[in-house]
């Protein structure tokens, strides 16, 4: 089954304790991206990757890092989480350059993060 | 810069009523995609529809229909004979092909929370 998986799905942590949210896709997609969702703001892009070892900032990258060592994985790293990073996080992937009638971005199930 | 506006923050209707969710977008690109997603209380994002900028045909899928009008930069979503299971947050999103230099970012609206009252 084609899917994007995220782990963990729920996480409560404390300020300053480094954490990683994993994202993996099994569709051989080149493009992957992270979004955060906050009330009244919709979803905003944090980072994206157009291929292995190619990553770049989105609209709200402060406080986050990413890596893309393998095509299927795109972890989101919070080196020193703060309460303003409490949010719902989504990973997405798509076949880069695929713009046909079936074009779609596939979203993971979401990770709800609380930083106290 | 790209922008998506969903002016309706919350809508409540009685079951079986029709309801339209509005979406207005801004883009400088001539080639782009528009999407609608549903987010039920469980939190996941459910893809509903994609429409590219060259296809202004309205689409109907069961009780759902979409009206795309480039002249007014709108992509509205109508649910006919609403049901309780339609209660969710609905997001409209825009993907530009020209401005983002390969970043296939979706620009989301702020969402409309739809509540269907039994």
């Amino acid at each position: 089954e084609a899917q994007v998986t995220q782990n963990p799905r729920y996480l409560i942590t404390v300020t300053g304790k480094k954490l990683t949210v994993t994202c993996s896709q099994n569709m051989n997609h080149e493009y992957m991206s992270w979004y955060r969702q906050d009330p009244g703001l919709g979803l905003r892009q944090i980072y994206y990757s157009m291929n292995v070892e190619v990553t770049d900032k989105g609209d709200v990258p402060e406080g986050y890092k990413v890596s893309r060592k393998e095509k299927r994985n795109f972890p989101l790293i919070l080196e020193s989480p703060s309460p303003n990073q409490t949010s719902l996080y989504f990973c997405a992937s798509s076949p880069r350059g695929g713009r046909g009638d079936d074009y779609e971005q596939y979203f993971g199930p979401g990770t709800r993060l609380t930083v106290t | 810069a790209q922008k998506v506006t969903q002016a309706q923050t919350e809508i409540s209707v009685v079951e079986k009523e029709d309801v339209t969710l509005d979406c207005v977008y801004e883009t400088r690109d001539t080639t782009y995609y528009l999407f609608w997603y549903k987010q039920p209380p469980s939190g996941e994002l459910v893809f509903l529809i994609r429409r590219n900028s060259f296809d202004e045909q309205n689409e109907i899928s069961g009780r759902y229909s979409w009206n795309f009008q480039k002249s007014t930069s709108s992509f509205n979503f109508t649910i006919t004979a609403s049901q309780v299971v339609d209660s969710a947050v609905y997001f409209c999103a825009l993907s530009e092909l020209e401005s983002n230099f390969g970043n296939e970012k979706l620009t989301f609206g702020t969402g409309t929370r739809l509540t269907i009252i039994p």
Side-chain angles (χ1 to χ4, degrees):
Chain A
E1 179 191 356
Q3 60 181 352
V4 179
T5 57
Q6 294 179 227
N7 282 292
R9 295 289 312 280
Y10 303 90
L11 179 61
I12 301 174
T13 190
V14 296
T15 298
K17 186 176 180 182
K18 180 179 179 180
L19 67 93
T20 298
V21 183
T22 65
C23 173
S24 183
Q25 50 92 5
N26 62 1
M27 296 166 280
N28 203 38
H29 286 166
E30 292 185 343
Y31 180 89
M32 297 184 75
S33 180
W34 277 102
Y35 294 84
R36 60 177 288 172
Q37 180 185 346
D38 302 292
L41 296 176
L43 282 81
R44 295 174 293 166
Q45 189 185 55
I46 304 170
Y47 268 93
Y48 68 96
S49 169
M50 293 199 285
N51 213 328
V52 175
E53 303 292 2
V54 180
T55 64
D56 207 344
K57 297 176 182 178
D59 295 322
V60 288
E62 296 77 19
Y64 305 94
K65 288 174 58 176
V66 293
S67 70
R68 187 91 183 273
K69 294 184 171 57
E70 306 165 281
K71 201 171 188 179
R72 63 183 294 129
N73 297 324
F74 189 44
L76 180 69
I77 303 156
L78 285 72
E79 295 269 1
S80 183
S82 62
N84 65 11
Q85 292 178 298
T86 293
S87 188
L88 178 58
Y89 291 87
F90 288 98
C91 180
S93 76
S94 69
R96 180 172 168 237
R99 293 295 191 173
D101 289 342
D102 60 348
Y103 174 72
E104 181 181 340
Q105 285 206 17
Y106 295 79
F107 281 86
T111 295
R112 191 168 295 278
L113 172 65
T114 302
V115 184
T116 61
Chain B
Q2 64 270 36
K3 185 179 179 182
V4 176
T5 301
Q6 295 180 256
Q8 304 152 309
T9 305
E10 295 192 25
I11 300 176
S12 294
V13 300
V14 176
E15 196 173 20
K16 297 196 177 109
E17 288 185 353
D18 299 348
V19 57
T20 296
L21 309 183
D22 297 332
C23 173
V24 174
Y25 63 93
E26 295 176 28
T27 178
R28 293 172 297 184
D29 286 11
T30 56
T31 307
Y32 52 89
Y33 279 83
L34 293 163
F35 299 81
W36 275 95
Y37 287 87
K38 174 183 180 180
Q39 187 176 48
S42 51
E44 73 273 21
L45 288 169
V46 178
F47 167 79
L48 294 178
I49 190 172
R50 154 213 327 108
R51 175 64 74 220
N52 74 56
S53 53
F54 297 110
D55 183 1
E56 284 193 73
Q57 281 189 352
N58 293 333
E59 177 148 345
I60 299 174
S61 176
R63 295 184 296 107
Y64 295 172
S65 62
W66 291 269
N67 180 253
F68 176 30
Q69 292 196 340
K70 287 178 78 169
S71 60
T72 56
S73 297
S74 65
F75 187 43
N76 297 337
F77 172 33
T78 297
I79 301 174
T80 302
S82 59
Q83 300 177 1
V84 172
V85 293
D86 296 326
S87 295
V89 179
Y90 290 86
F91 289 99
C92 180
L94 165 70
S95 176
E96 297 178 313
L97 273 68
E98 297 157 12
S99 299
N100 287 333
F101 308 104
N103 179 9
E104 300 187 6
K105 170 176 86 167
L106 293 181
T107 297
F108 284 82
T110 52
T112 298
R113 182 177 298 277
L114 176 64
T115 302
I116 309 300
I117 303 164

